[in-house]
């Protein structure tokens, strides 16, 4: 075990109020492409003829509701993706009462699927849908199983409960995430480039020791971290912690 992973293991073993902050890199091991990386989802949906930002915007929803619904059914609804070792490890630490929970930039819902209950989903989740008119709610599984495109009650468009371009982040979620960061004795950032604002700026609220950043590439916050590991996070978690958690 290399020295950085050993240091990571020691930090986790000594912590009882861990907060996790996760980005797209965590879901790559589950087969979900990183949105902006070369060969990722950004490149795939660009082939549809519009920019990804437009396809994921309130403008597109308003301009072409049917096109918006067709887009998310084609590109966003994922039935065959399941949590990976990192999701399960984070959920296990919460169950062991050693974690305050997870803050995520991801919309795939895999943290909840893995069993985490204290999840602040900054950009919303694809596990929930609602009607834009009467606000009736649906689960992702129901939408997929019934190929649902319009509300069963009023016939209007249903949309995923995610933050689209042109919308603001939920302030209650932001406040809860900040509190979770302030109360933590250790903050572990996993798979986030920490460039998407305002979400990435939340980690500036962490004022204690043990800021750990595990990401494939460098981030703007590396200089502020107590430990930076640029390696595959599944490998890091497996070698550094999972054996003790019986995952």
């Amino acid at each position: 075990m290399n020295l950085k992973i050993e240091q990571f293991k020691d930090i986790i073993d000594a912590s009882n109020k861990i907060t996790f902050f996760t980005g797209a890199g965590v879901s790559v091991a589950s087969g979900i492409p990183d949105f902006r990386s070369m060969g990722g989802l950004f490149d795939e949906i660009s082939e549809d003829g519009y920019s990804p930002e437009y396809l994921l915007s309130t403008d597109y929803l308003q301009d072409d509701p049917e096109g918006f619904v067709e887009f998310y059914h084609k590109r966003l609804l994922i039935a065959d993706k399941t949590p990976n070792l990192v999701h399960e490890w984070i959920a296990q630490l919460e169950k062991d009462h050693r974690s305050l929970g997870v803050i995520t930039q991801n919309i795939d819902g895999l943290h909840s699927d893995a069993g985490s209950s204290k999840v602040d989903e900054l950009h919303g989740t694809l596990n929930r849908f609602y009607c834009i008119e009467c606000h009736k709610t649906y689960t992702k599984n129901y939408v997929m199983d019934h190929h649902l495109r319009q509300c069963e009650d009023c016939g209007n468009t249903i949309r995923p409960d995610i933050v689209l371009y042109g919308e603001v982040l939920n302030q209650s979620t932001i406040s809860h995430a900040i509190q979770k960061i302030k109360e933590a004795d250790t903050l572990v950032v996993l798979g986030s480039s920490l460039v998407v604002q305002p979400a990435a700026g939340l980690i500036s609220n962490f004022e204690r020791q043990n800021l750990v950043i595990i990401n494939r590439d460098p981030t703007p916050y590396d200089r502020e971290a107590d430990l930076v590991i640029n390696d595959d996070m599944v490998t890091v978690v497996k070698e550094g912690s999972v054996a003790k958690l019986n995952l």
Side-chain angles (χ1 to χ4, degrees):
M1 186 183 301
N2 70 46
L3 292 178
K4 283 195 172 183
I5 294 180
E6 183 67 40
Q7 184 181 351
F8 173 60
K9 179 181 182 299
D10 290 342
I11 289 172
I12 295 300
D13 287 348
S15 302
N16 292 299
K17 293 183 178 181
I18 307 166
T19 291
F20 294 94
F21 184 100
T22 67
V26 170
S27 297
V28 170
S30 291
I32 299 174
D34 188 336
F35 185 68
R36 293 185 179 276
S37 294
M38 186 64 66
L41 186 60
F42 190 99
D43 301 296
E44 289 183 17
I45 64 181
S46 294
E47 297 174 1
D48 290 342
Y50 296 106
S51 72
E53 289 87 354
Y54 177 65
L55 291 169
L56 288 165
S57 72
T58 54
D59 287 339
Y60 188 42
L61 173 59
Q62 293 168 1
D63 294 343
D64 184 5
E66 292 185 4
F68 177 83
V69 171
E70 182 63 28
F71 163 72
Y72 75 64
H73 269 271
K74 177 183 178 182
R75 296 293 188 180
L76 299 184
L77 294 186
I78 44 179
D80 60 339
K81 308 305 181 187
T82 58
N84 60 58
L85 193 70
V86 178
H87 297 106
E88 293 168 354
W89 172 65
I90 291 172
Q92 184 64 52
L93 282 168
E94 181 186 316
K95 291 174 184 175
D96 291 345
H97 306 290
R98 298 184 53 217
S99 168
L100 301 178
V102 57
I103 303 160
T104 187
Q105 295 172 292
N106 300 334
I107 60 174
D108 51 49
L110 291 182
H111 283 297
S112 296
D113 292 346
S116 290
S117 60
K118 300 175 182 177
V119 185
D120 292 314
E121 294 164 313
L122 299 176
H123 299 140
T125 177
L126 289 169
N127 280 350
R128 293 189 304 269
F129 285 72
Y130 66 91
C131 173
I132 63 173
E133 181 64 29
C134 73
H135 301 288
K136 179 177 180 176
T137 59
Y138 301 88
T139 65
K140 180 181 73 174
N141 288 337
Y142 189 88
V143 170
M144 296 182 70
D145 291 345
H146 294 79
H147 306 287
L148 200 62
R149 282 166 163 74
Q150 283 81 38
C151 177
E152 293 177 328
D153 284 358
C154 71
N156 274 283
T157 301
I158 57 172
R159 56 161 287 181
D161 191 7
I162 61 175
V163 180
L164 300 174
Y165 285 94
E167 296 177 327
V168 297
L169 303 187
N170 182 281
Q171 291 306 303
S172 177
T173 302
I174 291 291
S175 297
H176 197 262
I178 290 174
Q179 188 63 32
K180 189 179 293 183
I181 290 172
K182 288 183 174 180
E183 292 179 1
D185 57 11
T186 294
L187 177 61
V188 181
V189 178
L190 290 157
S192 175
S193 61
L194 296 178
V195 296
V196 178
Q197 300 293 348
L202 295 180
I203 70 168
S204 298
N205 291 281
F206 183 69
E207 299 177 346
R208 304 187 188 186
Q209 292 183 335
N210 298 334
L211 170 58
V212 179
I213 298 177
I214 304 173
N215 193 54
R216 182 184 58 191
D217 302 310
T219 80
Y221 290 84
D222 286 359
R223 291 184 179 181
E224 301 176 26
D226 299 279
L227 176 63
V228 176
I229 302 178
N230 297 129
D231 201 347
D232 174 68
M233 67 190 63
V234 173
T235 300
V236 173
V237 169
K238 185 175 182 179
E239 294 185 6
S241 296
V242 171
K244 292 190 64 176
L245 296 173
N246 299 314
L247 289 177

